[in-house]
Amino acid sequence: MTTKRDLIRNIALMGHQGNGKTSLAEAMLFRAGVIARPGRIESGNTVLDSQPEERDRTQSLTLGLASFSWGDHQVNLLDPPGYADFVGDAMTALRVADVAIFVIDGVSGLQVNDELLWQAASDMSIPRVLFINKLDKERASFDTVLGGIRARFGSGIEAVDLPIGEASAFAGVADLLTEHVILYDAGSPTTSDELPADIADLEHEQHEHLVEDVVEIEDDLLSRYLDGEDIGVAELEHALSVGFATGALWPVLCGSAVDGIAVDRLLDFVCRIAPAPSDAPGIEVHDDGQVREVPCDPSGDPLAYVFKTQTDEYVGQVALMKIVSGTVHADDVLVNQRTGVKERLHNLLRVIGNKHTAIDSARAGDIVGAIKLTDVATGDTLAPLGSALSVAPLEHAPAVYGIAVAAESAGDEDKLSTALAELVNDDPTLEVIRDNETHQTVIRGAGDIHVQVALTRLQRRYGITLRTEPVKIAYRETLLGSTEAEGRHKKQSGGHGQFGVATVRFEPLPRDDGYEFVDETRGGVIPKPLVSAVGKGIAESMSRGGRHGFPLVDLRATVLDGKHHSVDSDDFSFRMAGALALSAAIDKVGTLVLEPIDRLEVTVPADVQGDVMADLGRRRGQIEGTEPARDGEITVIASVPTSEITDYAVALRSMTHGRGRLALSFKCYQERPESH
């Protein structure tokens, strides 16, 4: 028996920036009767681009959710940004979707992010539909774009639609399974079984090609087809849905989001053939150190995964969550597995952009919102009291581009700290680092646009005026050689004076050995408690910096001799003696500046490998090797000074036209050349 949960469809719209995903979402909402007329991105009145930053930039910058009914189905539509800097939201959408619709530009064809997101969906085993959009535009070509898709993605790409006309003459589609024609007038469809004469022969040919491929999905159908039996549409569609769910084939449909052509056809098709959440494999969870799958079962224990939190100016934080298992009711109490805090679900919400409607309950597989929770962050799991289950975290690519920020006014400093924490709470692909060496607060993201948008949102939402500056490099210093030096601190100003003398041998240590303090005094020339004060004074002076103002590291200090006074010597006096001894040693032998070196892994198409390696050479990089990656890509491994790659994420995007990927990690400190 079909249950309500079987009629849930969680759909992610995927594709390159500008392919028309948000326009398609608007058209779907209009066709579903949710909105009176489709909004326009240029006008800033679309449902899913509701943030001020999105309206200012006329592009999607955060994951949008719109839940609506389509016939008997509950559709939860996820619309992540298509720009590469916001790929974290695209990964999040794929994590909770059961099917992905790849929206492809009918003029430009496949673009960089289409391919990267396709690979990500493939890695997650997400069934995919392709929708060739904008066929109403001049220079649009269904055949050319379809050929490019097949050339890139190989076998399994199956056209199930044929366009009727193109550019200004685009009027509808022919359904290659039923051989029906669907024509559109002002977005309203009319269905007919009479094919236009100019495409009849091509349609019959494409129909036969589709049938031949579809019957191969099921052995019984193939046998009957080879015996000359006609296979009915219902059986063909069932086989198509099986092939779709198993990744054997990927249907291609076409239309125009702006003109509303074939949008209803796309929704009908996906709702019919896409797997329901209950048909998909269970979600991977951790259970007391073990990893297992939890099936999507409304009768199971309630379990909810918070895949995104968003801050709404009117209701505060909205937690978007997928019900993994069980049935959740308003006012249920679940436990946040990260914090151990009980969370009462005061309000369950059906979400359409920034509009919310209260609902009483949600079943396994559904996607809903919740507000007025105590302490919930993206990636949290809400489970029954006593449960050890938590949904396996989504691993995001590391942040690779940073800007240092500070509040302009002292009164905003505390506010800034709280605001940054909330910003990262909503978007865990951002990272905030408070560097104790450079005394900077650095916000890092996937690229310059990602960070700029975050800062704009920060200033608007929290009313903080920010000052930004480049990220300082955490240079260090070490002594150039070994030497002995005396530190003498003497001060007399009436009453008890200050007196401390220490002779110290200083020696540089191997890299990353830190600071070592040794006592070799004899005969009580310095009392033991005051010897340790010498070590503290040296350590304090090291942190304040050497000749170039950078912290000193990798140093052994050995106290050899000294003098003290029974009345005037104290802890402070010998801390000063230690600091003065170090200063004298620096004056004698000088210091060497050390610079941080990063390990850089860059994955690029093979045809730009030479350009990338030459660029790394100009950045003083040392190539350590190359490794083959998938799809003909090459991973270049190099050691590069941190100072040379502060802007590398932006440069790599330009060099590789968006196809390059990088991973950075600290490797070591080494001598900085005098010329730098």
Side-chain angles (χ1 to χ4, degrees):
M1 176 179 174
T2 301
T3 64
K4 186 176 180 181
R5 63 162 179 151
D6 295 315
L7 299 180
I8 294 171
R9 294 293 182 269
N10 298 316
I11 302 171
L13 298 179
M14 309 299 290
H16 195 89
Q17 172 73 23
N19 284 6
K21 297 185 292 83
T22 300
S23 295
L24 179 59
E26 288 291 305
M28 288 178 170
L29 292 171
F30 173 65
R31 292 293 298 159
V34 176
I35 55 178
R37 63 178 61 85
R40 293 176 57 84
I41 296 169
E42 299 80 2
S43 302
N45 61 351
T46 60
V47 171
L48 292 178
D49 285 353
S50 58
Q51 297 287 323
E53 295 79 21
E54 294 176 310
R55 292 169 179 158
D56 291 344
R57 289 178 174 265
T58 63
Q59 70 178 102
S60 299
L61 300 172
T62 190
L63 175 61
L65 170 64
S67 299
F68 58 92
S69 296
W70 184 255
D72 293 332
H73 290 83
Q74 170 63 44
V75 174
N76 297 312
L77 191 68
L78 299 142
D79 179 25
Y83 193 72
D85 274 15
F86 303 96
V87 69
D89 271 354
M91 298 300 103
T92 296
L94 288 173
R95 179 67 183 278
V96 295
D98 304 301
V99 59
I101 297 177
F102 275 77
V103 184
I104 309 298
D105 192 313
V107 178
S108 303
L110 274 181
Q111 299 179 77
V112 174
N113 223 30
D114 299 325
E115 298 182 30
L116 297 178
L117 293 172
W118 182 273
Q119 185 61 59
S122 176
D123 292 343
M124 294 186 185
S125 301
I126 304 294
R128 283 146 276 161
V129 172
L130 296 104
F131 181 74
I132 300 178
N133 190 25
K134 302 185 181 181
L135 289 184
D136 56 323
K137 301 297 183 184
E138 293 302 320
R139 302 190 320 281
S141 174
F142 176 80
D143 291 338
T144 300
V145 173
L146 179 60
I149 293 170
R150 284 177 168 155
R152 182 64 184 87
F153 297 149
S155 61
I157 299 295
E158 293 289 348
V160 296
D161 276 357
L162 194 65
I164 299 175
E166 284 185 343
S168 60
F170 181 52
V173 298
D175 182 336
L176 293 178
L177 271 184
T178 65
E179 298 198 276
H180 288 164
V181 170
I182 311 167
L183 296 175
Y184 289 81
D185 181 11
S188 298
T190 301
T191 303
S192 168
D193 58 5
E194 185 175 338
L195 293 169
D198 59 337
I199 70 161
D201 290 343
L202 177 61
E203 196 283 334
H204 290 314
E205 177 187 327
Q206 295 297 318
H207 169 77
E208 288 302 320
H209 176 79
L210 177 62
V211 170
E212 288 173 3
D213 287 348
V214 169
V215 295
E216 290 184 356
I217 300 297
E218 297 186 337
D219 293 340
D220 177 60
L221 285 190
L222 178 59
S223 177
R224 288 162 53 197
Y225 178 76
L226 293 175
D227 288 340
E229 183 178 337
D230 287 335
I231 309 299
V233 171
E235 289 183 294
L236 288 172
E237 192 165 274
H238 177 268
L240 180 65
S241 67
V242 171
F244 175 65
T246 58
L249 53 83
W250 302 286
V252 181
L253 293 84
C254 62
S256 167
V258 171
D259 286 348
I261 297 177
V263 173
D264 55 338
R265 153 83 174 147
L266 175 63
L267 274 170
D268 285 339
F269 183 85
V270 171
C271 285
R272 285 201 313 274
I273 76 157
S278 56
D279 298 326
I283 290 184
E284 191 177 273
V285 299
H286 294 297
D287 183 6
D288 265 340
Q290 303 296 313
V291 177
R292 64 182 180 90
E293 288 186 350
V294 170
C296 180
D297 181 359
S299 63
D301 290 335
L303 194 68
Y305 169 60
V306 179
F307 63 88
K308 183 75 173 176
T309 61
Q310 298 176 337
T311 301
D312 183 278
E313 59 182 315
Y314 299 111
V315 300
Q317 186 192 68
V318 180
L320 303 180
M321 55 191 185
K322 183 172 185 177
I323 310 304
V324 175
S325 172
T327 299
V328 176
H329 301 85
D331 284 328
D332 277 356
V333 176
L334 298 175
V335 176
N336 186 331
Q337 298 291 62
R338 174 180 61 88
T339 64
V341 173
K342 294 180 182 179
E343 297 282 0
R344 182 178 294 278
L345 305 179
H346 297 284
N347 301 88
L348 290 179
L349 306 172
R350 193 63 72 194
V351 177
I352 304 176
N354 60 1
K355 308 295 183 185
H356 313 125
T357 304
I359 57 175
D360 295 328
S361 63
R363 299 162 66 88
D366 206 353
I367 290 176
V368 296
I371 58 174
K372 298 181 181 179
L373 301 179
T374 304
D375 179 17
V376 168
T378 297
D380 283 351
T381 300
L382 305 180
L385 183 65
S387 171
L389 298 183
S390 63
V391 175
L394 178 61
E395 301 259 342
H396 288 292
V400 293
Y401 180 88
I403 290 178
V405 298
E408 280 284 10
S409 67
D412 278 344
E413 283 295 340
D414 290 340
K415 191 191 296 186
L416 176 61
S417 179
T418 301
L420 286 170
E422 291 183 5
L423 202 66
V424 173
N425 194 34
D426 284 355
D427 183 0
T429 63
L430 291 169
E431 182 180 40
V432 173
I433 301 169
R434 292 171 179 83
D435 194 314
N436 293 327
E437 286 191 31
T438 63
H439 307 291
Q440 286 184 315
T441 296
V442 178
I443 182 167
R444 298 177 64 83
D448 54 334
I449 303 300
H450 188 201
V451 173
Q452 288 169 18
V453 168
L455 295 181
T456 301
R457 184 173 290 140
L458 188 75
Q459 294 180 88
R460 172 188 60 82
R461 188 181 291 172
Y462 301 98
I464 301 172
T465 302
L466 291 176
R467 181 179 71 255
T468 63
E469 61 184 16
V471 177
K472 295 178 182 177
I473 305 302
Y475 294 109
R476 295 176 179 176
E477 295 180 55
T478 193
L479 287 181
L480 270 171
S482 300
T483 188
E484 288 185 13
E486 181 185 81
R488 176 180 291 269
H489 177 70
K490 182 177 181 181
K491 187 174 182 182
Q492 191 71 42
S493 57
H496 288 305
Q498 297 174 6
F499 180 81
V501 179
T503 302
V504 185
R505 181 174 65 241
F506 294 96
E507 304 164 86
L509 292 175
R511 297 289 173 266
D512 301 322
D513 271 17
Y515 169 50
E516 183 180 328
F517 180 69
V518 181
D519 175 14
E520 289 187 0
T521 58
R522 297 288 183 272
V525 291
I526 304 174
K528 291 298 180 183
L530 298 182
V531 170
S532 63
V534 175
K536 291 177 184 177
I538 294 171
E540 290 165 357
S541 182
M542 288 173 65
S543 67
R544 287 192 293 269
R547 179 172 289 175
H548 301 277
F550 306 123
L552 265 75
V553 295
D554 303 334
L555 177 67
R556 177 187 292 124
T558 304
V559 185
L560 303 173
D561 199 359
K563 297 177 182 177
H564 78 285
H565 188 278
S566 59
V567 176
D568 292 344
S569 292
D570 58 9
D571 185 90
F572 177 78
S573 299
F574 276 91
R575 279 164 47 202
M576 288 297 297
L580 291 169
L582 177 59
S583 179
I586 291 173
D587 288 341
K588 283 184 177 181
V589 298
T591 61
L592 175 71
V593 175
L594 303 175
E595 64 178 341
I597 304 297
D598 285 340
R599 174 184 167 87
L600 175 65
E601 294 186 12
V602 192
T603 301
V604 296
D607 60 353
V608 297
Q609 175 187 350
D611 294 339
V612 168
M613 293 176 70
D615 178 71
L616 290 175
R618 288 189 290 271
R619 296 171 185 267
R620 298 192 287 132
Q622 299 293 317
I623 306 299
E624 297 179 357
T626 61
E627 298 176 355
R630 63 189 179 194
D631 294 333
E633 294 180 320
I634 299 293
T635 297
V636 179
I637 303 167
S639 296
V640 193
T642 305
S643 61
E644 300 286 349
I645 50 176
T646 56
D647 65 344
Y648 192 69
V650 179
L652 181 67
R653 182 192 305 146
S654 176
M655 257 190 304
T656 64
H657 304 290
R659 296 181 183 276
R661 304 185 300 281
L662 72 148
L664 282 171
S665 59
F666 171 75
K667 181 179 181 181
C668 64
Y669 272 86
Q670 67 181 33
E671 178 180 349
R672 185 181 70 172
E674 286 292 333
S675 59
H676 291 80

